[in-house]
Amino acid sequence: MPPKPATKKKKVASPNRVEVDDDLEEWKKSKQLLKPKDQIELQDFELKELVGRTLVMTNNQIPNNIVEFSYVEKSFIPVPQVTNYIVAYECRGTIIHRDTEEAKAIIAGTDGEDGGMLNVYKSLIFTPIGSEEFEDKDKEKDEEAPAEQEDVGESEGVEAPVEEKADEEKKEEEEEIKPVSAKKLTNQFNFCERAALTYTQPPRMQETQTTPPPVKTFSGNVLQWIIYDSYQIDYAEQLEEKERERERKEKDKAPVSKYLGPPRKSKKKLPVKKGFSEEQEMRIFECWKVLERMINLNTYDEIAKDYRYWEDPSDEFREEEGTLLPLWKYSYDKTKKHTVTHICWNPWYYDLFIVCFGYLEFLKPLTEGFICLFTIKNPSYPETICLTESAVMCSDIHPKYPYMMVCGMFDGNIQVYNIQASAKQPAYMTKSHETKHSGIIWAIKWVPDLPDGELNFYSVSNDGKVNNYVLMQTELSLTTIINLYLDRDAAAGPDGTLVKLKACATYIVLHPSNPIVYMVGTEEGLIYKCSINYNAQYLMTYQAHTMPVYKIHYNKYNSSVFISCSGDWRIKIWEDNRADPLFVFDLGASVMDVEWAPYSSTVFGAVTAEGKVYVYDLNVNKYKPICTQAVVSKKRNKLTTIAFNYNMPIVIVGDDKGMVTCVKLSPNLRVPCKPPKKQQHLDQWTLQCMKLDRLLALVREPSVLAVHTDISVSDKSTI
Amino acid sequence: MADAGEGAPAEQKKIVHTYPLVKNSDMPEEMKQEAIDMVVTACEKFASNNEAAAKMIKDQMDKKFGPPFHVVVGEGYGFEISYECLNLLYMFFGGNVAVIIWKC
């Protein structure tokens, strides 16, 4: 709606006004003019004066200095001037001016079109925008547009009738064009949405299948006994595992090479090729061992049967007497010249025993010693052989760990073997002169383990010391428990210095029930009762013998009773804290060894240098042995040791020609206690204790009587 | 000839074992431990209600190791099952209860 101010501003044409005035003059002349009374009389010239009228763009009626009091700013502020035009209605058109290039282009483009096309356009006008028909995108007809245009034209005409003519001209122009622009003229802002659809891919099916997870079947039955059995088996395995663990720990304790004994038999009997691995060799060795056992079983079949079943029938007719049945003889070629210095049964396997080979004839020294393990199953050859650098004088097997063997040497050294691991080299040995004894070691004994599980043992030697050795991780740690000083004045040496004399210890025995008490026998014939708590004092000194004490042994049933033997031909039985012996037996030759029988509280056996074995049963005869038997030839051989088996009625005795003889005790020598009629319920142990107590009570009473016994016995035996 | 050792160890006292004993399992070690723990917890919680115990084990196993687990808790039964490998546990607990857990 573009207004046309140019026409408004045009000054009104004066000729028109002059014509009107002229008419007024004429009209005035003809008629008398009525005038208001107060009309100002104007002169002609005044009346003829032309008053120009001017149209200005500003409206002078509008005040331009309106102010308003602002309470915010506390002052008057000017109010913006009111403009003189107001927009009453506004509407954006969709038509374009026909003079524009675009319109012309459209007109030119649609010129040749026929009416049919126009109709199509018309029909499309009212279709909603955004409809699917995208081909009809460029045209939209606004019907109202031309009408409005005409309205504007009319209003203009009213506003300025002066310019009617000019407007009419314009209208005519428009009329001229109208037929041409019957088609609508759209502008570029008139648009509709355009959409496009891309090509849709046709869907396609594809299938794959993964391999199914592996599946297994499992079946079983649940029954109460199955559950119970499973628990039993598992528990047994757990126990076994614990056992193995314990064993492994023990093995770790004794660090030795894993080499298990030499396959000596296989080498002897079979020329083993060097190509064999150790494992193969071991297997061959096992085979030979079985074969050897079989041959031995054949060879010694009769002896084996005797050992098991033969009981001397003549015992029934002999009162209070028994015999010894010789069984096997054990010897080893290389130890024929050695003396058996010590024998002891293995505490775990009752058919296994250890023999120490040393020498007692000090004028004919031997350079090496042996420790042999013999078994009853194989009398022909030792099970294990340990070769040592010096003669072995004594040994002991640990009661809890039957493979731990300690042995004392002639030269004062000590060696500890772990037979299970290796018999070739000791697990521990004394290395320097500081840790070893300075004399012959005569006795060695394991003692209960220390609180933290370390093994330890005591040893006694000619040098008058009682040493305690503890098996540490790699070495033996030494503690001297006591120096056995004699109760005499110090003797003057060659250069006048005084030397306190020491006793030469020959035997040590530990109290079976009181671990701090032990007894030491000496070469002077004394027996010292000591405690590990005192290192300068004896609990008691027994004036026991006049020659070296060879052995002291506690009674198994009553630990206050012990027996001792000596080179002065005598065996004495003592009671604790009693200076005088209860019994004295004179055997007419050096008593090399004596031992209580494990099966009876009153039976003991002894061997003499004359080659005889004596067996006493104090319950049967308090004066005479119930068996005296020469086991080896009197002239050539001396018996040196005796050991009762704790499980079978057999005894082994060792002699000075490296021979060990096994003899069986006849029934008379091992009569069990018969319980009295009123006390049938008592077990053998109690009965044995009672038997011994009865006997002791008989002997103990008046001290005079005891002396009398002593004399009478010695008299008898010397006669 | 002579026989071996000294004497057989004394006759053991009858003991009722109640610890969890795995009879058969091909589970990975960690999973197995967890499953055993679950069984122990469940069987202790529902000592007299095997069904509840089985349900509890199954639910937990499903949650931990993915759904299709099956659990049988009982004192006497027979079974023949197909199981997905590495998902089997057959164990005893409490001395009288056998539990089998498998996935398939």
Side-chain angles (χ1 to χ4, degrees), chain A residues 216 218 220 222 224 231 234, chain B residues 19 75 77 79 81 83 85 96:
Chain A
K216 275 185 196 166
F218 177 58
V222 177
Q224 285 305 302
Y231 271 112
D234 186 69
Chain B
Y19 57 87
E75 296 183 5
Y77 55 87
F79 56 87
I81 55 162
Y83 66 98
C85 287
N96 63 339

Side-chain angles (χ1 to χ4, degrees), chain A residues 213-224 226-228 230-235 238-239 296-297 300 304 307-308 328 347-351 376-379 646-647, chain B residues 1-6 12 14-21 23-24 26 74-85 88 90 92-98 100 104:
Chain A
V215 167
K216 275 185 196 166
T217 55
F218 177 58
S219 60
N221 279 307
V222 177
L223 295 167
Q224 285 305 302
I226 290 178
I227 297 174
Y228 180 81
S230 305
Y231 271 112
Q232 289 303 316
I233 290 163
D234 186 69
Y235 188 67
Q238 278 179 17
L239 288 181
N296 275 316
L297 272 177
Y300 297 100
Y307 156 71
R308 268 301 199 199
W328 306 277
W348 204 260
Y349 303 105
Y350 70 86
D351 53 357
I376 288 178
K377 291 170 186 156
N378 183 0
Y646 52 85
N647 201 24
Chain B
M1 245 191 295
D3 314 308
E6 203 180 352
Q12 300 251 328
K14 285 272 186 291
I15 313 164
V16 179
H17 303 290
T18 58
Y19 57 87
L21 167 61
K23 190 73 181 154
N24 192 348
D26 61 353
E75 296 183 5
Y77 55 87
F79 56 87
E80 162 109 23
I81 55 162
S82 304
Y83 66 98
E84 208 174 285
C85 287
L88 174 77
Y90 177 38
F92 300 145
F93 179 71
N96 63 339
V97 171
I100 179 162
C104 189

Side-chain angles (χ1 to χ4, degrees), chain A residues 180-345:
Chain A
V180 184
S181 65
K183 318 140 198 173
K184 67 183 173 119
L185 298 175
T186 52
N187 70 2
Q188 72 241 30
F189 303 108
N190 181 14
F191 66 92
C192 68
E193 264 180 31
R194 191 190 272 251
L197 197 63
T198 54
Y199 177 70
T200 47
Q201 298 287 348
R204 205 173 287 157
M205 295 280 274
Q206 194 166 1
E207 282 176 14
T208 55
Q209 207 166 32
T210 55
T211 48
V215 167
K216 275 185 196 166
T217 55
F218 177 58
S219 60
N221 279 307
V222 177
L223 295 167
Q224 285 305 302
W225 63 261
I226 290 178
I227 297 174
Y228 180 81
D229 283 1
S230 305
Y231 271 112
Q232 289 303 316
I233 290 163
D234 186 69
Y235 188 67
E237 270 171 12
Q238 278 179 17
L239 288 181
E240 224 169 81
E241 184 59 35
K242 263 183 212 162
E243 184 68 17
R244 270 202 294 274
E245 185 74 10
R246 196 178 59 79
E247 271 173 20
R248 203 168 51 74
K249 271 186 192 160
E250 271 162 25
K251 261 187 190 173
D252 289 349
K253 220 188 266 176
V256 282
S257 75
K258 289 254 174 92
Y259 185 64
L260 293 161
R264 50 179 201 280
K265 272 291 169 186
S266 58
K267 270 180 189 160
K268 200 177 166 191
K269 289 186 177 175
L270 177 90
V272 178
K273 283 176 192 168
K274 281 188 178 174
F276 283 145
S277 69
E278 193 174 304
E279 198 182 326
Q280 276 173 315
E281 238 172 78
M282 288 304 290
R283 217 176 292 156
I284 295 167
F285 171 59
E286 278 297 315
C287 295
W288 280 114
K289 210 166 163 179
V290 171
L291 207 60
E292 188 185 31
R293 288 255 169 108
M294 286 162 69
I295 293 167
N296 275 316
L297 272 177
N298 263 341
T299 317
Y300 297 100
D301 185 38
E302 285 178 10
I303 297 181
K305 277 178 181 155
D306 283 354
Y307 156 71
R308 268 301 199 199
Y309 308 114
W310 195 80
E311 306 288 3
D312 197 343
S314 58
D315 266 25
E316 287 177 32
F317 312 105
R318 275 194 302 248
E319 287 279 317
E320 303 178 352
E321 263 183 49
T323 55
L324 296 170
L325 172 72
L327 298 172
W328 306 277
K329 285 187 192 306
Y330 299 89
S331 66
Y332 176 45
D333 285 345
K334 288 182 184 167
T335 58
K336 287 256 162 91
K337 285 178 185 168
H338 286 77
T339 304
V340 176
T341 50
H342 188 248
I343 47 178
C344 61
W345 292 96

Side-chain angles (χ1 to χ4, degrees), chain A residues 675-682:
Chain A
K677 277 177 189 170
K678 285 178 186 174
Q679 291 162 310
Q680 289 290 343
H681 59 281
L682 293 176

Side-chain angles (χ1 to χ4, degrees), chain A residues 278-485:
Chain A
E278 193 174 304
E279 198 182 326
Q280 276 173 315
E281 238 172 78
M282 288 304 290
R283 217 176 292 156
I284 295 167
F285 171 59
E286 278 297 315
C287 295
W288 280 114
K289 210 166 163 179
V290 171
L291 207 60
E292 188 185 31
R293 288 255 169 108
M294 286 162 69
I295 293 167
N296 275 316
L297 272 177
N298 263 341
T299 317
Y300 297 100
D301 185 38
E302 285 178 10
I303 297 181
K305 277 178 181 155
D306 283 354
Y307 156 71
R308 268 301 199 199
Y309 308 114
W310 195 80
E311 306 288 3
D312 197 343
S314 58
D315 266 25
E316 287 177 32
F317 312 105
R318 275 194 302 248
E319 287 279 317
E320 303 178 352
E321 263 183 49
T323 55
L324 296 170
L325 172 72
L327 298 172
W328 306 277
K329 285 187 192 306
Y330 299 89
S331 66
Y332 176 45
D333 285 345
K334 288 182 184 167
T335 58
K336 287 256 162 91
K337 285 178 185 168
H338 286 77
T339 304
V340 176
T341 50
H342 188 248
I343 47 178
C344 61
W345 292 96
N346 189 301
W348 204 260
Y349 303 105
Y350 70 86
D351 53 357
L352 189 69
F353 59 93
I354 287 174
V355 184
C356 300
F357 292 102
Y359 62 93
L360 295 173
E361 303 231 349
F362 304 120
L363 293 174
K364 290 183 267 180
L366 296 164
T367 53
E368 54 188 18
F370 287 91
I371 306 163
C372 294
L373 268 75
F374 284 98
T375 165
I376 288 178
K377 291 170 186 156
N378 183 0
S380 58
Y381 200 82
E383 194 76 5
T384 309
I385 302 164
C386 303
L387 176 62
T388 57
E389 288 169 1
S390 180
V392 184
M393 302 309 285
C394 55
S395 74
D396 195 23
I397 293 183
H398 199 283
K400 256 201 254 167
Y401 313 114
Y403 47 87
M404 292 303 285
M405 182 175 72
V406 62
C407 52
M409 305 294 175
F410 193 84
D411 61 3
N413 274 318
I414 285 167
Q415 293 188 343
V416 182
Y417 284 92
N418 183 343
I419 305 167
Q420 215 174 34
S422 168
K424 272 206 161 175
Q425 53 200 33
Y428 297 90
M429 62 186 295
T430 51
K431 290 181 182 106
S432 67
H433 68 279
E434 283 165 1
T435 52
K436 71 170 214 169
H437 278 286
S438 51
I440 304 165
I441 299 173
W442 284 109
I444 201 154
K445 285 276 183 281
W446 288 105
V447 293
D449 294 353
L450 294 180
D452 44 356
E454 282 156 328
L455 309 184
N456 66 119
F457 57 85
Y458 286 5
S459 64
V460 290
S461 147
N462 266 359
D463 62 4
K465 281 182 186 167
V466 177
N467 283 354
N468 178 27
Y469 291 89
V470 180
L471 271 64
M472 307 300 276
Q473 198 65 37
T474 52
E475 51 166 23
L476 292 168
S477 89
L478 159 73
T479 321
T480 300
I481 300 291
I482 196 170
N483 275 304
L484 300 164
Y485 290 110

